[in-house]
Amino acid sequence: MGEKPNPNANAKPVSTIGSSVIPIINKLQDIIAPVGFESFNISLPQVAVVGSQSSGKSSVLEALVGRDFLPRGCDICTRRPLVLMLEHCSVSPDDDGAEWGEFRHLPARRFYDFSKIRREIQAETERVAGFNKGVSDKQIRLKISSPNVLNMTLIDLPGITKVPVGDQPSDIEARIRKMIMAHITQENCIILAVTPANSDLANSDALQMAREADPKGSRTIGVITKLDIMDRGTDACNFLLGRVVPLRLGYIGVVNRSQEDINYNRSIQDALVREERFFHDHPVYNGLSDKCGIPQLAKKLNQILEQHIRMVLPNLKAELNARMVVVLKELRAYGEDMESKAEQGQGVILLSILRRYCEAFTAMVDGKSQEILTTELSGGARIHYIFQSIFLKGLEEVDPCEDLTDDDIQIAIQNANGPRSSLFVPEVPFEVLVRRQLARLLDPSLQCLRFVYDEMIKISHSVQATELQRYPYLRRRLDEVIGKFLHDGVKPAERMITNIIEIEMDYINSSHPRFIGGEKAVELATQQLKSSQEIRSQSNNDKTSTAGNTAGANSSRSWSIFGSKASSMENSSSRSVGRTFHDTEHSSDKSRSSSTIKLREPPSVLRPSEVTDHEAMKIIATKLLLRSYYDIVKESIQDLVPKVIMHYLVNHAKRELHNTLIQKLYRDNLFEELLQEEDDIVAKRKHARGLFHVLEQVIQTLNGVESEVSYRHSHSSIGSTDSITGLPR
């Protein structure tokens, strides 16, 4: 396609050097470009051209191509990176040596008129970067096929600028520098640092950025332009010999086309002839022929790029293979599209998805998942943690008497006695109190059930069956069905746990072999009370030991006197009471005239009086009985509640989930809706498939030439030195 004018009859090859290696990279560029280089995140060997505005970058590139095709002007012209893939082709009788260009954004359209290439570069730049000097890092990709070029890939980057023009932002310099650094910091990038001869090489912006990206100078080639306009009596010999700013790859000096040449549309071939004459006639440069001229620059770039490609080819292949594994895994995750599976039937596909999901769910619960985490507990391990570290330990830390005071127990005992005093620990208050404490076991048991239910929901959400990523509606319906299924499994477990607690409360088995019993409790309580009394008595004796025997004697006399007085008072009281009843019986009229004794009314709330030793013993005994029986029931609950939860919820889900999903979801009228993919998934699969096919082609291409490259390199390097650096190969 495209127009085909008469080719330039005066065109001649810059060099006859060819290579079978560089075209491989160009072919890779062609293969990868349609799906986007950002998808691969790999760096292919190429040459980036860096320089300030008006440094002569455009003239150098056009000289390498042999054609005038780049936009020109006094302001910034390169406003988007231009990836220029040069491909050497042989002259054939059919095209008479014709040259052509092809843009990646206009595939299959060939431009034979290079002035139209210039206009298309301008139009494509303005389409993205605007009309008023804005810049963009989005690349323009141009392939030029010609018998007058050497195989290489060049990237023309925007010129380093200092002052914003047009609608450029105030930080235009920083933006351009960032764009340049993004390219030249890649290890596979050869840096072509362009500096005009009429400026200070030591302060060259291009060389400074190259040094920052390539501190060792092993990837940088210096190009000194405009050698013909240096002041008379001066030359760039020291620069070209690397005596000012050394570079391992050295320097090449060139002569640019003058503005007059451009204005009069003089051909680049004529400019190359004048350049050759200039170096030949110059008294200094004629002795540096290997460091001067566009042909030498093209030859050197071709050789450096080819050697660099040979060096990075094994790592590039390994990187592409690794990338292919990632893309293949991603492609498998998206699965085949429904069109390719139409012959299988939607029902078969749905059954397969449900089966694999249930298998993955069960494997996660049982700890047999293929993807076992190493950073945290997951799946069934979390359920085990709930049983052992939360439920069991939580019950172990509970004191059954922590919310019962001695007053509470004393009141319960006295209320159970009624109007009588008990000689032993009454049975009724013990049963009342122990039932109240056993009832407290219900809440933590139901909390344990709720915790496990939440974990089962989490497991159902975390199961990532491959196809579920493709079918969002199926995923939502699956979550709904499983949520209701697990919720229904909670109900019988909840009833069973409640019944177990109520059974324990309904019958207090005081004959349990591990129960302490009343007699033993009284015995232990008596011992504890006696022990505490002895401790208090000993403490009191220590406090009064300094009083001596005198105090003891006085005390004895006091108690003796108190006892005598008490006996006398008791006899007197008896006589007095006898006379009172006698007088009352025989002299009723006289008693009516005496005053009436009134008792105070009992308060609305009665609290027990001071605790006697006997009552204290019964309180201690009751606590012993409570703790003994509570521990028996607690151990039973610790054993039964996890069993109930596993039976009614966890194991029930493993047994019945698959059948439930089939009953709820496997319906003819739901197939199409459940297996509907999102557009995003379809697009991602298409993109991944494209990447995979591209990688297959790329790796196949590399495999086809790897042995040839190795063979040629091994034979050409025996006993030879590097033509670029002069070092042994």
Side-chain angles (χ1 to χ4, degrees):
M1 297 179 64
E3 302 176 6
K4 182 177 179 181
N6 292 329
N8 187 347
N10 295 324
K12 63 178 181 178
V14 174
S15 173
T16 59
I17 295 178
S19 170
S20 63
V21 180
I22 296 178
I24 297 172
I25 298 301
N26 289 342
K27 185 176 181 179
L28 298 185
Q29 303 255 13
D30 285 339
I31 295 173
I32 295 174
V35 294
F37 282 83
E38 63 279 359
S39 302
F40 285 84
N41 194 27
I42 61 174
S43 172
L44 295 178
Q46 51 198 1
V47 179
V49 185
V50 183
S52 301
Q53 281 185 229
S54 303
S55 62
K57 287 193 307 94
S58 297
S59 295
V60 171
L61 288 172
E62 289 182 332
L64 289 172
V65 175
R67 287 285 192 166
D68 189 348
F69 69 99
L70 292 174
R72 289 182 176 276
C74 57
D75 295 321
I76 180 172
C77 299
T78 304
R79 299 192 286 130
R80 289 176 58 184
L82 175 64
V83 179
L84 189 60
M85 292 180 291
L86 305 183
E87 181 182 79
H88 177 80
C89 63
S90 301
V91 179
S92 66
D94 296 334
D95 57 18
D96 297 327
E99 305 165 276
W100 50 268
E102 180 181 354
F103 290 94
R104 176 52 58 188
H105 63 275
L106 296 173
R109 178 182 175 185
R110 291 185 176 182
F111 289 79
Y112 294 94
D113 186 346
F114 278 71
S115 64
K116 292 184 177 181
I117 292 179
R118 179 191 302 110
R119 290 195 292 270
E120 181 58 33
I121 293 174
Q122 290 175 331
E124 181 64 11
T125 297
E126 292 170 353
R127 185 181 67 83
V128 174
F131 294 87
N132 200 11
K133 308 307 178 186
V135 296
S136 170
D137 59 358
K138 188 174 182 180
Q139 296 178 343
I140 299 175
R141 307 187 68 82
L142 172 62
K143 178 181 178 181
I144 292 181
S145 179
S146 169
N148 304 316
V149 299
L150 295 182
N151 293 309
M152 67 182 74
T153 299
L154 303 164
I155 303 179
D156 184 20
L157 295 168
I160 305 168
T161 185
K162 301 291 185 181
V163 181
V165 297
D167 61 355
Q168 291 177 345
S170 58
D171 61 343
I172 184 65
E173 180 183 4
R175 292 190 181 189
I176 292 178
R177 285 180 176 271
K178 182 179 179 181
M179 186 190 307
I180 294 173
M181 293 300 293
H183 286 82
I184 66 177
T185 52
Q186 299 180 28
E187 289 299 320
N188 287 340
C189 180
I190 304 298
I191 306 171
L192 194 65
V194 179
T195 304
N198 56 353
S199 66
D200 184 4
L201 189 67
N203 294 322
S204 165
D205 289 331
L207 287 175
Q208 287 180 357
M209 294 191 69
R211 180 179 295 175
E212 183 178 348
D214 177 29
K216 297 180 180 178
S218 58
R219 298 186 287 112
T220 303
I221 306 172
V223 177
I224 303 176
T225 62
K226 306 180 182 181
L227 291 178
D228 57 328
I229 63 173
M230 293 184 69
D231 292 339
R232 290 181 178 275
T234 62
D235 59 68
C237 180
N238 288 333
F239 295 153
L240 295 176
L241 294 175
R243 294 170 181 171
V244 180
V245 181
L247 292 176
R248 183 180 178 186
L249 299 181
Y251 291 83
I252 296 291
V254 300
V255 173
N256 300 84
R257 282 197 302 165
S258 65
Q259 188 60 43
E260 182 181 279
D261 294 335
I262 297 172
N263 294 339
Y264 286 97
N265 200 25
R266 292 168 183 161
S267 70
I268 293 178
Q269 300 302 327
D270 291 340
L272 291 175
V273 171
R274 285 195 298 273
E275 181 194 53
E276 182 180 5
R277 185 182 305 118
F278 171 80
F279 288 126
H280 180 271
D281 295 340
H282 197 281
V284 175
Y285 300 137
N286 63 4
L288 301 172
S289 58
D290 62 330
K291 299 183 183 298
C292 296
I294 289 294
Q296 289 298 323
L297 176 61
K299 177 182 176 181
K300 188 166 188 174
L301 282 175
N302 177 269
Q303 291 175 337
I304 291 174
L305 189 57
E306 182 175 345
Q307 291 181 12
H308 187 70
I309 291 172
R310 284 198 179 107
M311 181 179 65
V312 303
L313 202 57
N315 289 337
L316 178 61
K317 182 181 176 182
E319 188 176 357
L320 290 170
N321 277 317
R323 180 60 177 160
M324 188 173 184
V325 172
V326 174
V327 173
L328 181 59
K329 183 178 180 180
E330 181 183 356
L331 189 58
R332 287 174 176 171
Y334 296 132
E336 294 294 333
D337 51 24
M338 291 306 300
E339 289 78 7
S340 62
K341 286 190 172 184
E343 67 279 0
Q344 298 182 19
Q346 293 178 325
V348 175
I349 296 173
L350 181 59
L351 282 176
S352 176
I353 293 173
L354 298 180
R355 175 182 57 80
R356 282 195 289 269
Y357 176 86
C358 292
E359 290 174 352
F361 178 88
T362 300
M364 185 166 288
V365 173
D366 292 340
K368 298 179 181 179
S369 176
Q370 295 297 321
E371 298 181 359
I372 296 180
L373 297 180
T374 58
T375 56
E376 61 175 336
L377 295 180
S378 64
R382 291 180 63 91
I383 296 176
H384 181 266
Y385 181 88
I386 291 171
F387 288 154
Q388 299 296 322
S389 300
I390 297 179
F391 180 63
L392 268 67
K393 289 186 177 180
L395 295 189
E396 290 292 344
E397 295 171 357
V398 174
D399 182 0
C401 298
E402 65 182 353
D403 62 339
L404 285 176
T405 65
D406 289 353
D407 286 348
D408 296 337
I409 298 175
Q410 183 184 4
I411 292 173
I413 293 173
Q414 290 187 3
N415 285 336
N417 291 336
R420 302 174 303 278
S421 296
S422 64
L423 298 177
F424 303 101
V425 178
E427 184 175 351
V428 174
F430 159 70
E431 293 188 355
V432 170
L433 294 175
V434 80
R435 285 192 181 95
R436 191 175 84 175
Q437 298 308 101
L438 295 181
R440 298 176 61 204
L441 295 172
L442 180 61
D443 284 341
S445 300
L446 295 180
Q447 289 176 37
C448 180
L449 172 62
R450 179 58 57 181
F451 291 160
V452 175
Y453 166 77
D454 291 341
E455 289 302 324
M456 295 292 284
I457 292 292
K458 291 178 183 177
I459 291 174
S460 70
H461 290 164
S462 62
V463 173
Q464 295 296 332
T466 302
E467 291 84 352
L468 290 179
Q469 301 176 23
R470 302 167 53 190
Y471 307 120
Y473 184 75
L474 174 59
R475 174 86 243 191
R476 289 194 295 270
R477 289 287 292 121
L478 201 65
D479 290 341
E480 292 174 5
V481 173
I482 295 175
K484 186 178 185 306
F485 171 77
L486 293 176
H487 185 267
D488 292 341
V490 168
K491 295 177 181 178
E494 191 175 72
R495 287 194 298 269
M496 188 65 179
I497 291 173
T498 303
N499 289 338
I500 290 175
I501 301 298
E502 290 179 350
I503 288 171
E504 294 289 355
M505 293 170 56
D506 196 54
Y507 176 65
I508 307 301
N509 183 16
S510 57
S511 300
H512 193 282
R514 290 174 50 200
F515 184 54
I516 189 174
E519 293 183 2
K520 184 66 174 179
V522 170
E523 178 184 347
L524 293 175
T526 303
Q527 292 176 359
Q528 291 184 21
L529 184 63
K530 182 178 179 181
S531 176
S532 62
Q533 287 176 342
E534 290 176 351
I535 293 174
R536 287 197 300 271
S537 176
Q538 181 64 36
S539 176
N540 292 334
N541 290 338
D542 292 341
K543 291 179 181 179
T544 58
S545 59
T546 55
N549 294 330
T550 303
N554 291 338
S555 177
S556 300
R557 287 195 297 272
S558 297
W559 279 107
S560 177
I561 295 170
F562 178 78
S564 174
K565 288 182 178 180
S567 177
S568 175
M569 289 174 66
E570 183 179 355
N571 293 334
S572 174
S573 176
S574 300
R575 290 193 298 271
S576 175
V577 170
R579 286 197 301 272
T580 301
F581 278 106
H582 178 78
D583 293 345
T584 302
E585 182 179 358
H586 295 287
S587 305
S588 58
D589 293 339
K590 186 177 180 180
S591 64
R592 291 191 188 99
S593 62
S594 62
S595 61
T596 302
I597 300 175
K598 294 183 179 181
L599 299 177
R600 57 187 177 87
E601 295 287 338
S604 58
V605 177
L606 288 175
R607 302 291 299 176
S609 57
E610 186 178 353
V611 179
T612 64
D613 289 346
H614 183 63
E615 290 175 331
M617 179 274 295
K618 288 191 286 186
I619 292 173
I620 296 173
T622 302
K623 287 185 176 181
L624 291 173
L625 293 172
L626 286 174
R627 287 195 173 94
S628 175
Y629 197 80
Y630 178 87
D631 288 343
I632 293 171
V633 176
K634 177 191 67 179
E635 292 181 6
S636 176
I637 297 301
Q638 288 174 326
D639 179 58
L640 289 176
V641 167
K643 289 180 178 178
V644 169
I645 296 174
M646 289 297 297
H647 175 73
Y648 285 100
L649 184 61
V650 180
N651 292 334
H652 175 70
K654 290 163 53 180
R655 289 189 298 264
E656 300 298 331
L657 180 59
H658 186 239
N659 292 335
T660 301
L661 293 179
I662 292 176
Q663 292 173 6
K664 299 295 183 181
L665 300 178
Y666 189 75
R667 299 178 183 177
D668 294 343
N669 60 334
L670 293 178
F671 289 165
E672 185 173 353
E673 185 179 21
L674 293 176
L675 298 178
Q676 181 66 39
E677 291 184 297
E678 286 187 343
D679 295 339
D680 183 49
I681 297 297
V682 175
K684 287 181 178 179
R685 185 197 298 112
K686 183 179 179 181
H687 181 69
R689 186 180 291 119
L691 288 179
F692 182 75
H693 290 327
V694 167
L695 284 167
E696 279 187 321
Q697 296 178 52
V698 169
I699 293 174
Q700 185 178 3
T701 302
L702 292 178
N703 288 337
V705 299
E706 189 175 27
S707 59
E708 178 186 349
V709 170
S710 300
Y711 176 81
R712 291 179 57 199
H713 181 61
S714 61
H715 281 70
S716 63
S717 61
I718 297 176
S720 63
T721 59
D722 193 318
S723 61
I724 306 300
T725 63
L727 300 175
R729 292 184 185 271

